[in-house]
Amino acid sequence: MRRQLTGMTEASSPQALLAPSADVARSLLDLLQVTPKLHRLTALLAALPLVACLGSEGGEGPGAAMGGKADGAGGGEPPELAGDYALVVQSEVEAVGPEGERERWTTGMLGLATISQQGEAALLEVRPCRVNLPRVGDSQPSIDGDLFATLPPVVTTGVAYYDDQGVAHLATDPAALQLGLDLESPLSDQLPTDDDDPAVVDHDNDGRPGITVDVSVFGDIFTGARVIFSLVGGQDGSGRIAGETELDLDYEILGDSIPFVDARESAAEASEDYQVVAAADRFALVPLGQTGLTCSEALAAGLDDITL
């Protein structure tokens, strides 16, 4: 299922006394339906989520994003961007609900990234550390942070170049972060819909298919998700590389533990209730000045609070 904004009105039947409130659907909405491009994940469910996707399979290479590249800028040599960075991604979505109310959700992701270079050819390796899902009403959805240690790093190729103003830039090819999935062709394979599919992986080792999203008091959702992303940004005087990221999220709900609710059906039925009116996805690669930093150390240092 490709994410779209959804919502759900409160039931007025006697069965409503047994069913979870409308907040359940809104939790599902923000977790799995925040934007038509799946959210554009922050919803890195955000993913979240990178498994050795090299080259431009299934998407445009960085050349498509480099209209301002200037041959010969910087003395004919490409900029030197190699090093260790904190990668911060922020995804914001604003939507209008069924009663005309406006909602805004912000999702964030922290990862540790390494850029290596040979000439202008760059290789970006990312280890996701945390995904912060947006609060929905009184519910705070969450993903077990320990699962990220089980994920292989996401790797993608790119180009380091100067634009026609002499500003150093990095542009990467599309890469896929997989949560609860191990697709043979991560950028192009269809997502499995059956929890017995061999492409479904229990990444958080809880005995449930895919990854588990805790929707607070209501229960859990079991899902497989894929976030395809690419980065294009310029470097400032501090060495920070920042710009826009293209995010495209697909997911499939594989099951749930929410009483009296079928999460998959509820998400589909709610898909017409919200309309996205604005969305923005940004990233920053912030130089660490040290090597060998772990996710635990990065979180303890508050790197997930970096402002974009």
Side-chain angles (χ1 to χ4, degrees):
M1 181 180 294
R2 189 168 293 273
R3 176 188 293 191
Q4 297 182 352
L5 284 179
T6 66
M8 181 181 293
T9 57
E10 293 187 5
S12 57
S13 65
Q15 287 77 6
L17 295 175
L18 298 177
S21 72
D23 283 343
V24 175
R26 297 186 64 182
S27 294
L28 300 181
L29 157 69
D30 198 79
L31 292 174
L32 304 171
Q33 322 260 322
V34 168
T35 127
K37 297 187 71 173
L38 188 39
H39 171 94
R40 291 193 39 123
L41 35 326
T42 263
L44 237 220
L45 182 90
L48 340 156
L50 299 164
V51 175
C53 296
L54 303 176
S56 57
E57 175 190 1
E60 297 179 345
M66 291 165 39
K69 180 179 179 180
D71 293 333
E77 296 294 328
E80 181 56 52
L81 303 179
D84 294 301
Y85 298 81
L87 172 62
V88 179
V89 178
Q90 186 178 87
S91 178
E92 294 183 344
V93 173
E94 185 174 356
V96 176
E99 305 300 325
E101 71 279 14
R102 284 184 174 261
E103 302 279 2
R104 177 174 292 179
W105 297 278
T106 300
T107 303
M109 185 189 78
L110 171 68
L112 296 175
T114 299
I115 299 174
S116 54
Q117 272 184 258
Q118 287 189 340
E120 70 172 11
L123 190 73
L124 176 69
E125 179 177 315
V126 180
R127 289 179 290 138
C129 293
R130 171 179 285 180
V131 173
N132 294 320
L133 297 173
R135 190 173 187 83
V136 183
D138 294 330
S139 178
Q140 177 60 69
S142 63
I143 303 171
D144 182 1
D146 291 340
L147 82 86
F148 294 106
T150 71
L151 301 178
V154 179
V155 181
T156 188
T157 52
V159 173
Y161 66 98
Y162 288 101
D163 68 9
D164 53 12
Q165 303 299 315
V167 177
H169 276 66
L170 173 71
T172 73
D173 289 305
L177 171 61
Q178 301 182 80
L179 296 175
L181 300 172
D182 184 14
L183 303 172
E184 183 174 348
S185 298
L187 290 171
S188 57
D189 278 358
Q190 295 258 339
L191 268 59
T193 58
D194 188 336
D195 60 11
D196 290 327
D197 192 296
V200 174
V201 179
D202 179 14
H203 271 150
D204 43 15
N205 297 312
D206 63 356
R208 303 290 191 171
I211 64 166
T212 297
V213 180
D214 180 355
V215 286
S216 192
V217 298
F218 304 118
D220 298 322
I221 298 169
F222 317 125
T223 184
R226 169 179 59 195
V227 181
I228 298 176
F229 70 94
S230 58
L231 311 176
V232 180
Q235 188 178 50
D236 64 17
S238 70
R240 172 172 167 154
I241 303 168
E244 296 182 352
T245 175
E246 290 290 334
L247 293 176
D248 191 4
L249 172 62
D250 290 328
Y251 73 94
E252 285 291 342
I253 297 176
L254 302 169
D256 66 81
S257 65
I258 303 173
F260 313 112
V261 169
D262 184 310
R264 181 184 293 180
E265 289 186 5
S266 296
E269 292 170 358
S271 62
E272 302 299 323
D273 288 355
Y274 279 79
Q275 178 182 1
V276 176
V277 295
D281 301 315
R282 300 184 296 275
F283 81 94
L285 285 160
V286 181
L288 291 175
Q290 66 181 100
T291 60
L293 194 71
T294 67
C295 282
S296 296
E297 292 169 338
L299 292 167
L303 294 182
D304 55 338
D305 292 328
I306 291 173
T307 301
L308 301 187

